[in-house]
Every structure is written in C-alpha cells, then in structure tokens.
Amino acid sequence: MHSHGRTDLGKSAPPQFPRSLRLATLQDITRIGVVAAAGFYHAPFFRFERPNFNRFPQDTLASYRAEYRRAILDPMSAVLVVEDEYEKDELKRVYDELRVVYPPLKDQMFSDKFQSGKVIVGITHLGLQPDTVRCAEFSTKGLMNRGITPTNSLTQEEPGPDKDALFKYPDDRERDKSAEAMDLYKKHLFGREEKWLSHGMWIKFMAVHPAYFKRGHAAKMTKWCVTLADTDGIGIGASAVPAARDVIVPYGFEKKEVVEVPGYKDHPESISFWIGARDPDFRLQRT
C-alpha cells in the first residue's frame, strides 16, 4: 500500500490508493451529500445538531453538499471517497424523510460513473497538519494550480453532475440546524478538540451509507489516513462517537479525553465525544 518514492518537492510520496478508494472531486458533491445525510443520521450528533431534520431534509442535503465542497477546495484538507457496487435497494436503508427527497441516481453522478455500476458509499474529511509541506496536495484547487486534472473532475466552478439538476436541489438554508447546539459545541467541545487534535492530522468526519455498512469501508479509509501520517512521521487524531471509535482504536488511537456536551430544549439528552490520538511512533500491525 505504501508508495516509497519521493516527490519533486522533496517530500515522501503519499500512500497509493487501494482499489475503490480515491480523492473526492467537485463532481461528486451531490452524491456526497446523500451519503453524508444517510450515514450521519445514525450518529448521536445528527439529531443534536439538526433537531428539525424531519421537516427540512433538503436543507440537510444542501448543508452537507456545501460543507464538503468547501473541504474539497480547502488546501489544508484531503477528502476521500470509497466506492462499491450499487445496491438497487439502497433507498430502503435511509431514513424516511431523506427517502422523500432522495435524488435520482442520474442526478447524483455523471453518466460515466452511472454506467460503471460503482457508486460512492463512504466519505472521509482529513485535516492536514498546520504548516504541512502537503498544503494543497490533495485539494481540487491545489491540483489544478499545479496543472494536474484530477480523475473524473470538472473545473472548480462546476459543482455538480448536471447544471440543470442543481436547480432541483436548493442551497443550504440551515432550517434543520440549531444555533443553540452550535453554541454548546463552541462552549464545550471545540476547545478540547483544538487542544488534542490541532497539531497533527485530524480525521474530522467519516460516514458510510447504511446500505453498505459492515463491508470494511471505514477501515479502508482509516488505514489510508494513518499510513499517510506514518509516511510523514506525525500524529493523527479524531473526535469520535462510539461507532467510529470502534473503527479507529485498532489502528492505534488512544483516548485523550471524553467530552460531554449538555442537552438543550430541542434535544434534552447530552451527547459525548471520544477524543483520541495516535502516536507518530505507532506502526500498523495489521495487513
């Protein structure tokens, strides 16, 4: 899995992508929004952040599209997607409100991917180390600035598979979100994440579409991220809910702190985040 060469910038080449894993590009945005909404629905923070998700499912999709578009263009980020054979009944595995606004597959993907039988089923947003020599190495904008055309990519001004289709899917109006929840994150969580995670690589978000659970997709994305950290000899961390914690702990992530965010009117129950980090001297024992 490792790439042992050196780049023309003098840094180690990043690990090769195994089959079915690649960098996200802007043409993936519509599908990424679907995968994020479907996958994150099963995380405790989904209802905490989005108490009105059942009333405004289009806003949820638009929110994730906007978030990952920013990440794909961010020079300090790498957004990964993993692909799998399309399951024709995937719509049955998502929550009811999302099913109502679920875009047709032809609107989620470009025709070449639609015909291949492969779809994006998982996504990861990896934040890079501050002042890293890898700045802009993985972003769509960074690749274009170096004269490289990302695989299956469009120009950065083209945000989706079909310009006309975009009018069907409005911009994020954030009606599903709670400003109070965001304030609680700022008060209780963000500072703790900054303390433990801001000095190395940081797995910020990871989601898998529920129709493709338990196929090793999250493990595959995690392994690439930690191999990149190994290549650069730096640490990597994550702020995880229990299901995600169980994926990353076997890769050497150790608990630093568990942070509890108190509930509020629209979500009286508190939620907790397991903050863990992986020492740069740790090496994968798994193959």
Side-chain angles (χ1 to χ4, degrees):
M1 181 171 169
H2 284 78
S3 241
H4 295 289
R6 306 290 290 185
T7 70
D8 57 357
L9 297 178
K11 60 180 179 288
S12 296
Q16 295 178 353
F17 289 113
R19 186 176 181 181
S20 78
L21 187 68
R22 63 175 174 84
L23 288 174
T25 60
L26 289 173
Q27 68 172 213
D28 299 322
I29 288 296
T30 304
R31 177 65 182 180
I32 284 175
V34 169
V35 171
F40 287 135
Y41 172 79
H42 296 273
F45 59 74
F46 183 87
R47 290 169 179 78
F48 187 86
E49 298 172 6
R50 303 174 187 275
N52 297 313
F53 75 91
N54 55 342
R55 296 173 55 203
F56 303 107
Q58 285 284 27
D59 289 36
T60 302
L61 286 173
S63 173
Y64 286 125
R65 288 197 302 267
E67 179 178 335
Y68 280 93
R69 186 179 192 278
R70 289 191 297 270
I72 289 170
L73 293 174
D74 179 9
M76 296 302 296
S77 294
V79 180
L80 312 178
V81 294
V82 63
E83 297 175 318
D84 202 346
E85 296 289 339
Y86 174 59
E87 293 285 351
K88 293 182 179 180
D89 66 346
E90 71 168 35
L91 183 61
K92 298 177 182 179
R93 301 292 299 277
V94 306
Y95 61 95
D96 292 343
E97 293 82 5
L98 179 58
R99 194 176 302 132
V100 172
V101 297
Y102 208 80
L105 190 61
K106 66 181 179 63
D107 287 349
Q108 297 183 39
M109 305 172 61
F110 275 80
S111 58
D112 60 334
K113 284 292 181 183
F114 181 75
Q115 294 168 3
S116 75
K118 298 277 190 179
V119 294
I120 293 170
V121 301
I123 51 174
T124 293
H125 176 193
L126 175 67
L128 303 179
Q129 183 184 32
D131 302 320
T132 178
V133 293
R134 296 197 185 277
C135 179
E137 183 169 351
F138 304 113
S139 69
T140 294
K141 185 178 293 185
L143 291 170
M144 290 177 175
N145 288 342
R146 300 203 306 276
I148 301 171
T149 301
T151 303
N152 299 320
S153 179
L154 294 179
T155 64
Q156 59 200 49
E157 287 76 24
E158 183 71 59
D162 181 344
K163 285 183 178 179
D164 293 332
L166 294 179
F167 293 104
K168 305 175 187 176
Y169 311 119
D171 291 336
D172 184 15
R173 297 173 63 184
E174 299 189 345
R175 293 171 297 179
D176 60 331
K177 292 183 179 178
S178 165
E180 190 172 355
M182 295 300 108
D183 288 340
L184 289 168
Y185 278 166
K186 292 175 184 177
K187 182 177 180 180
H188 297 278
L189 177 64
F190 292 163
R192 309 313 297 165
E193 290 179 331
E194 185 75 14
K195 174 184 176 179
W196 295 113
L197 305 177
S198 64
H199 306 296
M201 293 184 186
W202 178 353
I203 300 177
K204 295 191 171 185
F205 294 104
M206 182 181 295
V208 175
H209 192 294
Y212 307 87
F213 280 175
K214 298 184 179 180
R215 299 189 185 185
H217 295 311
K220 181 177 290 188
M221 293 186 288
T222 300
K223 188 172 183 178
W224 188 90
C225 293
V226 299
T227 304
L228 178 63
D230 282 354
T231 300
D232 291 355
I234 61 175
I236 182 171
S239 178
V241 296
R245 177 198 60 204
D246 294 344
V247 171
I248 65 177
V249 164
Y251 290 91
F253 289 77
E254 297 182 345
K255 183 178 75 172
K256 297 299 181 182
E257 184 177 1
V258 174
V259 177
E260 184 168 339
V261 180
Y264 62 103
K265 179 180 178 181
D266 290 333
H267 192 288
E269 300 82 10
S270 64
I271 60 171
S272 62
F273 293 84
W274 183 92
I275 300 177
R278 181 179 181 276
D279 190 272
D281 293 329
F282 186 92
R283 289 294 180 268
L284 288 177
Q285 302 301 315
R286 298 171 53 170
T287 59

